[in-house]
Amino acid sequence: MSSLPCIAITSGEPAGIGLDVCVKLAFQALPAGLVVLADIAALHTRAAQLGLSLKTYAFAERPQAHTGDGRLCVLDVHVPAPVVAGTLNAKNSAYVLNMLDIAREGCQTGRFDAMVTAPVHKGIINDAGIAFTGHTEYLAETTHTPQVVMMLTGGGMRVALATTHIPLTQVSSAITQASLTSTLHILHHDLIHKFGIEKPRIYVAGLNPHAGENGYLGDEEIKTINPVLNALRSEGMDLVGALPADTLFSQKNLAQADAFLAMYHDQGLTVLKHASFGEGVNVTLGLPITRTSVDHGTALDIAGSGNADIGSLLSAIHLAIEIAHKQTNSQTPKHA
Ligand SMILES: NC(=O)C1=CN([C@@H]2O[C@H](COP(=O)(O)OP(=O)(O)OC[C@H]3O[C@@H](n4cnc5c(N)ncnc54)[C@H](O)[C@@H]3O)[C@@H](O)[C@H]2O)C=CC1
Ligand SMILES: NCC(=O)COP(=O)(O)O
């Protein structure tokens, strides 16, 4: 990596606020070269709708430093059907995935140092006949990574998830000793190598109310979670739990935890988004590439209105830059 990381930004579902926040990015200075993947005509149409004077230039091999002077470096990806802010069109779903593939391949070949994703709409991609549960799972599959971990940062905390986009009825059976062991290994490894935390302390939630109340309110803690925590403690990991989820995120624990592991999506993300919505970052751990994302969705209700806040996208780009630098430094021999 050159001293200026090259970050690819996928603009996401074109009917949503992805294009809005990408246009707004042109007016923010950032310590990186940024390449926005989007249909260039759709980007200009959205800029006009927002009343912003956007200039674009085509991506060559390295973008220039992103100075916030109203210009964006764009890698043009053709969108097949007309884009209407706020109105989904299943004909554009393949375009959304095409941008992800281009960014992911670019990260794998070293063309880009990281990718940052604007939101996609999971429902419309499925309506197009493409099974899709989220970027996290899609990037795991397309990089042939058997397991990854979704973690969000914001509001002074990091919250990782033992399960992601599955129905609540499937959560218990999806948490096995093997999956939980692997999740904690990935989380522990990436806290050290991507976040520079020497000896991470991880607070782990139980699945049931009161962490099962000694088996009277559920036995996943006894059968699955606590045996895994004990085994990993004997490997040297600093793990606290399994703790009741309702008091897991107390101020005292917040001050002592490097990360929390929640057992399912809304057990962890409700707390994190309450504390930081609009500034949070979603990061996929365990991938061979660096991927961060906004914490929000497509917000169809405000697309094209000018009300989309760019805070989470900026935080996601800053984190991608930080990780890109950390990974370069950790690859540079200390005595060189
Ligand atoms: N990273 C991603 O690709 C994500 C995608 N989604 C997808 O987005 C779609 C819509 O999800 P929802 O649950 O409705 O959540 P949402 O985040 O799109 O919207 C929730 C509320 O927050 C507001 N909001 C969201 N982002 C905002 C921003 N940047 N500035 C100002 N207001 C903002 C919206 O207007 C809405 O009122 C779903 O298909 C979901 O799967 C959701 C979360 C992340
Ligand atoms: N709740 C997070 C979310 O829906 C985004 O997931 P992903 O697309 O980053 O996998």
Side-chain angles (χ1 to χ4, degrees), residues 17 119-122 135 277 293 296-299 301-302 307-309:
I17 60 170
V120 302
H121 194 283
K122 300 173 186 56
H135 291 93
F277 191 55
S293 183
H296 56 80
T298 48
D301 54 331
I302 58 166
N307 293 328
D309 193 294

Side-chain angles (χ1 to χ4, degrees), residues 120 122 132-137 150 152 165 265 269 273 282 291 293:
V120 302
K122 300 173 186 56
F132 181 87
T133 51
H135 291 93
T136 307
E137 299 83 357
M150 184 190 290
L152 275 86
H165 296 128
H265 189 276
L269 299 193
K273 290 196 181 185
N282 177 347
R291 178 261 174 167
S293 183

Side-chain angles (χ1 to χ4, degrees), residues 158-219:
R158 301 184 186 90
V159 179
L161 305 178
T163 58
T164 53
H165 296 128
I166 54 173
L168 209 46
T169 50
Q170 293 173 17
V171 166
S172 171
S173 55
I175 301 170
T176 62
Q177 288 202 11
S179 73
L180 197 54
T181 301
S182 174
T183 296
L184 279 160
H185 275 144
I186 292 168
L187 176 58
H188 187 259
H189 176 274
D190 279 10
L191 286 172
I192 296 171
H193 295 281
K194 290 192 168 151
F195 289 82
I197 301 166
E198 221 169 288
K199 192 165 178 6
R201 171 173 288 184
I202 303 169
Y203 278 56
V204 181
L207 176 65
N208 297 293
H210 307 183
E213 192 86 34
N214 298 330
Y216 292 104
L217 295 177
D219 61 6

Side-chain angles (χ1 to χ4, degrees), residues 266-277:
D266 292 354
Q267 186 186 54
L269 299 193
T270 308
V271 177
L272 184 123
K273 290 196 181 185
H274 173 70
S276 68
F277 191 55

Side-chain angles (χ1 to χ4, degrees), residues 12-299:
E13 166 52 50
I17 60 170
L19 287 175
D20 303 45
V21 290
C22 285
V23 169
K24 288 185 175 183
L25 200 52
F27 304 91
Q28 301 283 333
L30 283 149
L34 305 183
V35 188
V36 171
L37 276 64
D39 181 282
I40 202 157
L43 199 59
H44 279 286
T45 303
R46 191 63 57 87
Q49 202 170 343
L50 299 178
L52 294 171
S53 167
L54 174 72
K55 293 190 186 64
T56 53
Y57 65 98
F59 173 64
E61 267 325 290
R62 301 295 295 186
Q64 300 152 17
H66 190 79
T67 59
D69 61 356
R71 292 183 318 138
L72 269 189
C73 173
V74 179
L75 197 163
D76 189 17
V77 182
H78 175 66
V79 70
V83 173
V84 181
T87 305
L88 296 166
N89 187 337
K91 291 191 181 128
N92 289 337
S93 292
Y95 155 80
V96 170
L97 297 186
N98 190 18
M99 289 189 287
L100 294 182
D101 292 337
I102 295 169
R104 187 254 309 148
E105 273 168 28
C107 289
Q108 288 177 307
T109 58
R111 192 182 195 196
F112 307 129
D113 297 304
M115 64 187 279
V116 175
T117 55
V120 302
H121 194 283
K122 300 173 186 56
I124 198 71
I125 299 175
N126 283 282
D127 288 349
I130 307 165
F132 181 87
T133 51
H135 291 93
T136 307
E137 299 83 357
Y138 186 75
L139 292 172
E141 192 186 322
T142 52
T143 57
H144 311 291
T145 310
Q147 195 176 342
V148 295
V149 175
M150 184 190 290
M151 185 172 89
L152 275 86
T153 70
M157 61 187 119
R158 301 184 186 90
V159 179
L161 305 178
T163 58
T164 53
H165 296 128
I166 54 173
L168 209 46
T169 50
Q170 293 173 17
V171 166
S172 171
S173 55
I175 301 170
T176 62
Q177 288 202 11
S179 73
L180 197 54
T181 301
S182 174
T183 296
L184 279 160
H185 275 144
I186 292 168
L187 176 58
H188 187 259
H189 176 274
D190 279 10
L191 286 172
I192 296 171
H193 295 281
K194 290 192 168 151
F195 289 82
I197 301 166
E198 221 169 288
K199 192 165 178 6
R201 171 173 288 184
I202 303 169
Y203 278 56
V204 181
L207 176 65
N208 297 293
H210 307 183
E213 192 86 34
N214 298 330
Y216 292 104
L217 295 177
D219 61 6
E220 286 85 350
E221 291 78 7
I222 293 170
K223 287 190 171 153
T224 310
I225 305 174
N226 285 328
V228 168
L229 300 190
N230 289 334
L232 294 178
R233 281 185 193 110
S234 66
E235 287 180 15
M237 279 194 208
D238 187 355
L239 303 172
V240 181
L243 295 177
D246 61 349
T247 48
L248 180 68
F249 299 96
S250 66
Q251 291 303 325
K252 186 174 135 226
N253 290 352
L254 240 69
Q256 289 172 354
D258 293 303
F260 296 94
L261 179 65
M263 290 297 117
Y264 59 93
H265 189 276
D266 292 354
Q267 186 186 54
L269 299 193
T270 308
V271 177
L272 184 123
K273 290 196 181 185
H274 173 70
S276 68
F277 191 55
E279 289 167 16
V281 181
N282 177 347
V283 53
T284 313
L285 307 181
L287 282 177
I289 59 173
T290 299
R291 178 261 174 167
T292 66
S293 183
V294 294
D295 65 354
H296 56 80
T298 48

